[in-house]
Amino acid sequence: RRRSDGAAVLAEGTLGLGEAASLPAMSTRVVRGDQLILAVDARDGDHSCDLTEIALTATEAGPAGRTWDLARDVADDVLSGNPHADRLGNAGVWRFVRGPTRPVAPAGASGDAVPVGSVLARWREAAADPARRAEVSELARQVQSLLIGPRPAKGAKPDLILYDRFVSAESVVLRGLDLSGVPKRQTDGRPYGLDPKRFGPVPAGGGFDDASVAAPADSTIEVRLPAALWQGREFVVDARLDGTDPERAIQVGLSTAPSRPGDEPAASKLTDGGVVLAVPGGAAHGRLVGQLEAFRRTFPLFVCFPAVIPTDEVVCLKMFHREDEPLARLFLDDAQRRQVDRLWDEHKFVARQPLAENEYLPQFIGFVTQDQPKAMLAYYEAQRPAFRARADAFAAAWEAAAPRQLDALADLAARAYRRPLSADERAALPSLYRALRAKGASHEDAFRGVLARVLVSPSFLFRVERAPAGKEPGWVDDWELAGRLSYFLWASLPDEELRAAAAAGRLRDPDELARQARRMLRDGRVRALGVEFGAQWVHVRGFDELKEKSEKLFPEFDDKLRAAIYEESVLFFQDLFQGDRPVSAVLDADYAFLNDALAAHYGIPGVAGPQWRRVDGVRKYGRGGVLGLASVQAKQAGASRTSPVLRGNWVLETLLGEKLPRPPADVPRLPEEEGAGGTTTRQMVERHTSVASCRTCHARIDPIGFAFERYDPIGRLRDRESTGLVIDARATLKDGTEFDGIDGLRDYLLAKKRDVVVRLFCRRLLGYALGRAVAVSDELLLDDVVASLSRNDGRLSAAVVEIVRSRQFRSIRGSGFDDDK
């Protein structure tokens, strides 16, 4: 704010490139003739990017509340020249000017160093206003307390700025004063500055005068200075080495941190930063130069940029730069170094760097030699033959690699087909490649064409097995057995060990097949069995994509929570097989797999962090087994309320294998929201099932479903419905059995239906392994599987081994077999 008798800086600051700042709202008194000036100048005098967006708004504090907005007022006539009117009809309000942001002050001038809003600024305003005379004394006392007291905290910004400006050596108060006579205040018993006795020449000579301090190497000189008095001033140290010692190089540095015992660096080590001094021509100087030159040779001749091709003002020569020498030297053994070298060679081969470098070289030379001496151009021109030779050698190696790549593609086809290629199939791949090249396709395009042929082959897309002629079944070969076993347990291709067993003809031995099955069950890839069989069996496959819940009622049922609920189900079944748990753990497991998000959903304490872990003793929190999975409880519920019918039907069909008739078409629908008519969901269902046509089935379904009523539609444990009505989870079956909640249901199933649940589980597992429905002819095998479980404490591996050793798993029907006869 400028007026005839002076100016006041309301706010100021510095911004870097790309930075933005919004000044806080401020108030100032303006009288006729005052000017409000917004000044923008180049930081550090650097005008390389003079593009600054500015906005300025001034609002009258009086009742009228008029506003002057720079952008709105001048937008329509900004090119018309000065002055510019405002939108209120006042002429000559805005002006654009150029020149230095502030005039050069004459010697001794101070300008206005009082920040707006500070206690001194408020004292000056009060002193100039007769109506505020009563405030002057108190404000003067506050000014005195500020300037003689401690430095204000950072939050008190105007007063902090005022304090720093007035107590510094260059302040308007202290500028020009001789401070040499100011007494040195003691701090912690130690004086400021240095002891005068430390100055002066050393007895042995060395050229140090009375204004110098001599110190031995490996020592620290500590100088204490009053921070407030010297803030903003530059501290300069002039250091030089005693010229009589050419064998030594020293490093000198300056730090604002206080020294502590043990901080001194080792005498043979250079630290980061600091200046290294050595006598020119001395032995130490020679060693230092040699070591630096060796360090420079570690790095490439050409600087690398993130881009690969010329963009804007950057021209690149290298596509990538290898910087793993410290890694290899410090951490890798010989085998790991060879592996890294091989990976870099493959990367160079794929990137075709030698060809790209030779292509970029002319443009690179043109860029880096412009406005440079001719010697620079001659140096780079001399590099052209070396670049061309590397490119030619790479092109030859590229062409020579094509046959090896086709051989690798044939090996890939054998893995994709899960068997060795026939002679005709192996010959067809290079034949197709040559035909595509003959039509003008490049090596890469022709190779992609052959790869596409492999990936659309029926041998890759389908599990093709050769059936014997006639009606009688026959044994599948080792390769087909490898595929059956791998897709049963891993839902994927056989691994190398399984392929090796098939190639050796060992898989036709049932004992070898059983050994491979046990090995594969211990592998982490058995997770696929948890997804494709386990999650599918309990009808939660793809639960992470379930978005059928009311977003209004359950906003927390987001992608993260759904993924966590689904992951628990998959990990439960993966552990069931990989840990060789008993089949009964499907029901009686007293553990769950949790991370922090799912534990919070379940209300289970003591689980921190996103990592998954097994947590035991979860029944007291309403969890454990498939009955306690939130995925099951949420999937068998509606969008806005629970569904005892769906949940009860899930237990009957999934765990007990009972088939229930479909409901009649004219069955009335229940309300979608909880608490309709002031009743609980259970009461609504009970009223619905009083209809005679519904009573028979619901008498079997509903009591089991009522046991789940303590779980809301997204699987959270609760005591009341959302309307506040108390939940009743007691159940009474048709045979008179009574229980409460899923704990009671679990006990009932284990006590009276264990054999049914175990046999049904084995039936579903057998059907999944065979890839077909279980037939009457499979009942004897099913008996053997259940019996094997009984002999082995119910361990799942026993069921898997019995299945893979069976005739059904190892044989195939004859091509003449007729299902209709």
Side-chain angles (χ1 to χ4, degrees), residues 658-722:
E658 298 184 16
K659 294 295 183 182
L660 300 174
R662 297 185 64 82
D666 59 348
V667 172
R669 295 179 62 86
L670 293 175
E672 294 296 329
E673 301 287 343
E674 287 184 342
T679 60
T680 65
T681 301
R682 174 176 183 145
Q683 292 168 338
M684 286 193 297
V685 172
E686 288 174 335
R687 184 182 304 167
H688 169 79
T689 57
S690 63
V691 180
S693 59
C694 303
R695 188 179 303 125
T696 302
C697 290
H698 281 279
R700 297 166 60 191
I701 299 171
D702 296 352
I704 295 176
F706 292 149
F708 288 90
E709 273 302 277
R710 289 198 180 96
Y711 298 90
D712 73 0
I714 61 173
R716 289 179 301 193
L717 196 61
R718 60 183 183 166
D719 293 323
R720 297 175 180 269
E721 290 190 351
S722 60

Side-chain angles (χ1 to χ4, degrees), residues 146-147 149-164:
L146 171 69
L147 296 181
R151 190 169 184 258
K154 291 185 178 180
K157 194 163 185 179
D159 288 341
L160 175 62
I161 296 173
L162 175 71
Y163 181 89
D164 289 344

Side-chain angles (χ1 to χ4, degrees), residues 737-756:
T737 302
E738 297 181 353
F739 52 80
D740 188 1
I742 69 165
D743 289 337
L745 175 60
R746 181 188 298 112
D747 294 341
Y748 164 75
L749 293 174
L750 289 171
K752 296 187 177 182
K753 298 292 184 179
R754 179 191 294 264
D755 293 343
V756 175

